[in-house]
């Protein structure tokens, strides 16, 4: 089965040596080393490239023929033949475009072949960047409704896309620990539901989890205790259970708004008596200790 308030760090990628980078692009080892040698000394003959690269001359001839066929290098003199690289900007941008198009083709093919089976799994998504991207995609793809539950600090990074969804007619319901979501202006399609009628924080693990459903077709539960990770599913029975739980959160908020004083008198603040009576001991420990987020 494949937001926290902490800052997401994108480490700068260290550029590999030229020959290593070329191998990652699909060049053979001999082609990569010959090209790197030519890049450092041009124009150059096969003999000179062999000398710089340390490759056997016979292998250099074969590598240069392949590189010329690829369009990476070209001869500029005869007797002896000397080579120079083709304009790197032109050559490698062409590879970039071709690779991007090929990746798009593979993605489309995979989506066509795997679409029917996607709902059969619960996927685990790891890392704050990946979780953020998945939830963004869910919100941006919503057509009917978006339901989100969590502390306002975890919802606020999505204020802009939630507002955009509301403007295109999607009903957005937010069940929040807190009072307001910064950056989210009032809108007829946005309903802010204070958790249990007052939005008071419950502490861990509730302050480190975000639950979302979209269009009754997908659900995500993200945990930000330690390294961020999330469970994502499209199975209807799982989505139905999660949406039912969120609906009951909305019902409970309405009940608290109408009968909060009586409920507190009967069951204690934040339904404390009921929680002590029915909640299993240590139920939130797996989340806090970094285990897989539970779908409960």
């Amino acid at each position: 089965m494949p937001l926290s308030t902490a800052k997401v760090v994108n480490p700068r990628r260290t550029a590999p040596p030229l020959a290593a980078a070329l191998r990652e692009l699909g060049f053979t080892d001999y082609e990569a080393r010959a090209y790197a040698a030519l890049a450092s000394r041009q124009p150059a003959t096969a003999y000179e490239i062999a000398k710089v690269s340390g490759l056997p001359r016979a292998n250099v001839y074969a590598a240069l023929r392949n590189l010329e066929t690829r369009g990476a290098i070209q001869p500029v003199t005869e007797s002896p033949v000397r080579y120079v690289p083709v304009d790197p900007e032109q050559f490698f941008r062409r590879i970039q475009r071709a690779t991007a198009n090929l990746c798009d083709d593979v993605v489309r093919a995979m989506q066509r072949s795997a679409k029917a089976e996607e709902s059969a799994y619960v996927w685990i998504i790891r890392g704050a960047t990946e979780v953020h991207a998945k939830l963004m995609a869910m919100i941006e793809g919503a057509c009917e409704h978006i339901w989100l539950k969590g502390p306002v600090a975890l919802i606020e990074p999505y204020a802009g896309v939630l507002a955009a969804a509301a403007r295109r007619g999607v009903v957005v319901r937010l069940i929040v620990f807190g009072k307001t979501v910064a950056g989210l202006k009032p809108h007829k399609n946005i309903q802010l539901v204070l958790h249990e009628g007052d939005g008071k924080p419950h502490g861990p693990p509730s302050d480190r989890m975000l639950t979302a459903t979209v269009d009754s077709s997908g659900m995500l539960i993200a945990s930000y205790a330690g390294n961020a990770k999330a469970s994502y599913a499209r199975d209807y029975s799982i989505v139905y259970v999660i949406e039912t739980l969120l609906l009951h959160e909305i019902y409970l908020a309405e009940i608290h708004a109408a009968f909060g004083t009586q409920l507190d008198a009967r069951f204690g603040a934040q339904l404390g008596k009921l929680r002590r009576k029915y909640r299993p001991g240590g139920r939130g420990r797996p989340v806090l200790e970094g285990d897989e987020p539970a779908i409960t």
Side-chain angles (χ1 to χ4, degrees), residues 19-211:
L22 293 169
R23 283 191 289 270
E24 289 187 25
L25 288 172
F27 285 56
T28 68
D29 180 58
Y30 286 167
E31 291 169 355
R33 290 166 64 184
Y35 186 94
L38 181 59
S40 68
R41 177 175 178 170
Q42 53 178 292
T45 64
Y47 172 78
E48 292 167 332
I49 293 170
K51 209 171 173 186
V52 173
S53 65
L55 294 172
R57 197 185 309 178
N59 297 115
V60 169
Y61 281 117
L64 291 174
R65 284 195 299 271
N66 292 341
L67 289 170
E68 186 177 356
T69 301
R70 280 176 176 265
I73 66 173
Q74 62 185 13
V76 291
T77 64
E78 297 180 359
S79 300
V81 177
R82 288 184 171 85
Y83 296 91
V84 296
V86 171
D87 178 15
E89 177 76 16
Q90 173 187 337
F91 176 69
F92 287 102
R93 290 304 179 201
R94 178 162 55 82
I95 291 180
Q96 183 183 45
R97 290 191 296 271
T99 303
N101 291 336
L102 182 60
C103 288
D104 289 341
D105 291 342
V106 171
V107 168
R108 284 191 289 269
M110 288 295 294
Q111 287 174 336
R112 286 194 299 270
S113 62
K115 190 172 183 180
E117 299 297 328
E118 187 184 39
S119 65
Y121 305 98
V122 174
W123 304 88
I124 301 301
I125 302 166
R126 302 183 187 278
T129 300
E130 289 74 15
V131 173
H132 178 76
K134 186 61 180 179
L135 187 50
M136 287 284 287
M138 290 174 67
I139 295 171
E140 290 173 344
C143 298
E144 298 174 3
H145 68 257
I146 300 165
W147 297 347
L148 267 172
K149 174 191 172 185
V152 293
L154 297 184
I155 295 175
E156 284 170 354
Y158 303 96
V161 288
L162 290 170
R167 288 193 296 271
R168 67 175 185 267
V170 177
V171 175
V172 178
R173 288 195 174 98
L174 307 175
I175 305 159
V176 302
F177 294 95
K179 295 294 183 182
T180 60
V181 177
L184 193 63
K185 296 180 180 179
H187 190 280
K188 65 178 183 177
N189 288 330
I190 298 177
Q191 180 185 9
L192 196 68
V193 179
L194 303 185
H195 183 263
E196 294 186 4
D198 57 18
K200 290 182 179 178
H202 277 222
S206 298
D207 61 345
R208 306 180 195 185
M209 298 190 72
L210 191 64
T211 303

Side-chain angles (χ1 to χ4, degrees), residues 253-283:
E254 294 274 1
I255 292 169
H256 268 276
F259 304 105
T261 302
Q262 296 96 309
L263 290 172
D264 287 348
R266 177 67 180 84
F267 300 112
Q270 297 183 332
L271 304 179
K273 292 179 182 178
L274 291 178
R275 286 190 165 88
R276 287 190 294 272
K277 183 176 181 180
Y278 293 107
R279 184 183 175 100
R283 192 172 71 93

